[in-house]
Amino acid sequence: MNDKSFVDRIKVDLTDTEEKEALKKIAGIDKELQDKIFKNVRRHDDLIVHIRENVYGDRTIVQAQFKTLGCRMKKAGSCWNCNYGVCDQCLITPGQYVKAFKRELQSIDCDVLVLEALGSITDPKEFDSRVFDEIIRETIENAKTNYILIETHVTQIPEELVEKISTINNGKKQIGFEIGIEDMNPEHRKLINKIGVQNNKLTEVYNILQKHGMSLGINLIYGFPFMSEQERIDSVVDSVKSISRDLPEADIVLFLMSIKENTIMEFMQSEGIYKLPNPWGLVETTREILLDDDIKNVVTFSWFGEKEDPYIQEQTCYTCPACKKLIVDFFKNINGTFNQDERRKLLEQLLIQAENSECRCYEDFKEQLKENDGKNPNIRYREFLRRTIDNERE
């Protein structure tokens, strides 16, 4: 049976009603997993604002992460790779947020200061908008940085907010927003149940920010479920090319997928459905991007094994300590320069080291790229949904 006929059969075998049934079942599992973590964010918790400093060459990026209820999208069952929607009540007061941030701000001196929550810092249902206003004013007036980056959801960047920030800023700092799109292909976003993101909304936000002289950073993830290693590479490269074509001034940040505790991704791993990506795949993705002269966007990297989350336990994809050091050092160094020739030189040096490494990780990766089960991500995804339904009915 050829691939096309199998796709057709899968589509017939899984009706829209059955797909909804499967997703509802998975949402129930997701809710049970979220309930395992914690119910309330309490005012006596130590990390009201967690400060994480990331040094890449001569560049220092500081993340100020506010402890909140979590992401509303995750509360709704979105994003199988995420567990930031885990709290029922937040007992931290507005004054405590501001006081904690002002205290931390005194010791921050960086190139980029990122303001973020556990979900979307500009979502008033997660983080009080009056507190955010005070935080952004304080950052603009007193932060020792030239660039403020606000991490949020694409649906939480209304033009009135952008206009307000622009007025407060009055040209004092560079301002940008960073959003998680994960993959530019809407069909691929279904593979991690990334709901609430539409490409036309992304374009709308991009145009608003361009109009007000602000930047947009788009996060993409390497390591989607239901994809082979080659499909993962192709998917990220295609997303970068799409952004380059349609959103030429947008910055791009590439992430390496991890497995966070108590998530559907962890559940899929336990069921033998998901396998963490090969980190050399992100290197190969980077190679293809660096060698494409048509891609002019600034591309940087984050969560490639160089840091840990204080709130959430996670598994990273590294199994070989030697390869981890090579790859983490490479991405740290590449984040430290925007010169393409320097970046390509770093890549060339890494690949020479990989070829000469005593371990076989890089050779095994190249063999992995040849694997082909005759299916595609949509087929594997629908097989997972079918399996979920059948298990429920047994």
Side-chain angles (χ1 to χ4, degrees), residues 180-211:
I181 299 299
E182 323 314 2
D183 193 294
M184 289 297 291
N185 185 334
E187 290 302 309
H188 288 172
R189 291 198 290 268
K190 289 180 182 179
L191 304 179
I192 58 168
N193 202 41
K194 180 76 177 179
I195 59 178
V197 171
Q198 296 180 335
N199 286 3
N200 60 351
K201 182 64 178 178
L202 172 60
T203 302
E204 176 190 321
V205 166
Y206 172 79
N207 291 333
I208 289 171
L209 295 176
Q210 287 282 296
K211 174 182 171 182

Side-chain angles (χ1 to χ4, degrees), residues 172-366:
K172 296 184 183 73
K173 310 278 190 185
Q174 291 178 272
I175 306 284
F177 284 79
E178 183 174 346
I179 56 177
I181 299 299
E182 323 314 2
D183 193 294
M184 289 297 291
N185 185 334
E187 290 302 309
H188 288 172
R189 291 198 290 268
K190 289 180 182 179
L191 304 179
I192 58 168
N193 202 41
K194 180 76 177 179
I195 59 178
V197 171
Q198 296 180 335
N199 286 3
N200 60 351
K201 182 64 178 178
L202 172 60
T203 302
E204 176 190 321
V205 166
Y206 172 79
N207 291 333
I208 289 171
L209 295 176
Q210 287 282 296
K211 174 182 171 182
H212 292 278
M214 298 185 191
S215 66
L216 177 65
I218 299 172
N219 296 342
L220 303 174
I221 294 182
Y222 181 87
F224 266 48
F226 311 111
M227 287 186 178
S228 68
E229 217 63 49
Q230 186 61 58
E231 288 165 343
R232 287 165 170 167
I233 294 168
D234 294 341
S235 179
V236 175
V237 171
D238 287 347
S239 288
V240 171
K241 288 179 178 180
S242 173
I243 294 168
S244 176
R245 180 184 64 248
D246 300 329
L247 311 168
E249 299 299 321
D251 297 336
I252 301 169
V253 187
L254 302 188
F255 285 60
L256 189 55
M257 185 75 84
S258 62
I259 296 181
K260 294 180 173 62
E261 62 178 343
N262 299 315
T263 59
I264 292 299
M265 292 279 283
E266 186 181 58
F267 168 76
M268 287 195 291
Q269 182 192 45
S270 70
E271 294 288 306
I273 297 165
Y274 178 72
K275 183 179 179 181
L276 276 164
N278 192 314
W280 285 108
L282 183 61
V283 173
E284 175 62 22
T285 302
T286 304
R287 187 190 71 82
E288 293 196 23
I289 293 168
L290 287 180
L291 295 180
D292 190 334
D293 291 326
D294 291 333
I295 297 172
K296 307 296 184 184
N297 306 67
V298 173
V299 180
T300 56
F301 304 83
S302 189
W303 292 103
F304 48 85
E306 85 284 24
K307 54 192 173 185
E308 297 179 353
D309 194 294
Y311 306 118
I312 303 297
Q313 297 297 311
E314 61 184 347
Q315 303 172 44
T316 65
C317 60
Y318 294 99
T319 55
C320 172
C323 285
K324 178 175 183 178
K325 178 170 173 48
L326 283 177
I327 294 172
V328 169
D329 287 349
F330 165 70
F331 284 119
K332 282 184 176 180
N333 290 332
I334 210 169
N335 270 351
T337 178
F338 296 119
N339 181 288
Q340 285 294 87
D341 290 335
E342 291 178 4
R343 287 182 155 201
R344 288 169 179 166
K345 184 66 175 177
L346 289 168
L347 176 66
E348 180 184 342
Q349 292 170 350
L350 173 66
L351 294 179
I352 291 173
Q353 290 174 302
E355 294 284 1
N356 295 325
S357 177
E358 292 183 2
C359 71
R360 281 194 47 83
C361 294
Y362 188 61
E363 293 302 316
D364 291 343
F365 162 68
K366 288 191 289 186

Side-chain angles (χ1 to χ4, degrees), residues 102-163:
K102 285 183 177 180
R103 182 178 63 248
E104 298 289 353
L105 197 60
Q106 294 175 13
S107 58
I108 292 174
D109 189 347
C110 59
D111 298 286
V112 181
L113 177 57
V114 186
L115 302 177
E116 57 189 49
L118 289 182
S120 303
I121 197 168
T122 63
D123 181 353
K125 293 187 177 179
E126 178 182 351
F127 194 68
D128 190 314
S129 57
R130 292 167 297 180
V131 177
F132 176 77
D133 288 350
E134 191 160 353
I135 294 298
I136 195 68
R137 287 180 188 276
E138 186 69 24
T139 307
I140 289 169
E141 294 298 329
N142 297 314
K144 295 175 185 175
T145 186
N146 293 320
Y147 192 1
I148 301 167
L149 194 56
I150 302 163
E151 187 176 286
T152 192
H153 194 271
V154 67
T155 59
Q156 299 299 322
I157 312 176
E159 186 161 11
E160 54 267 32
L161 172 65
V162 176
E163 290 174 341

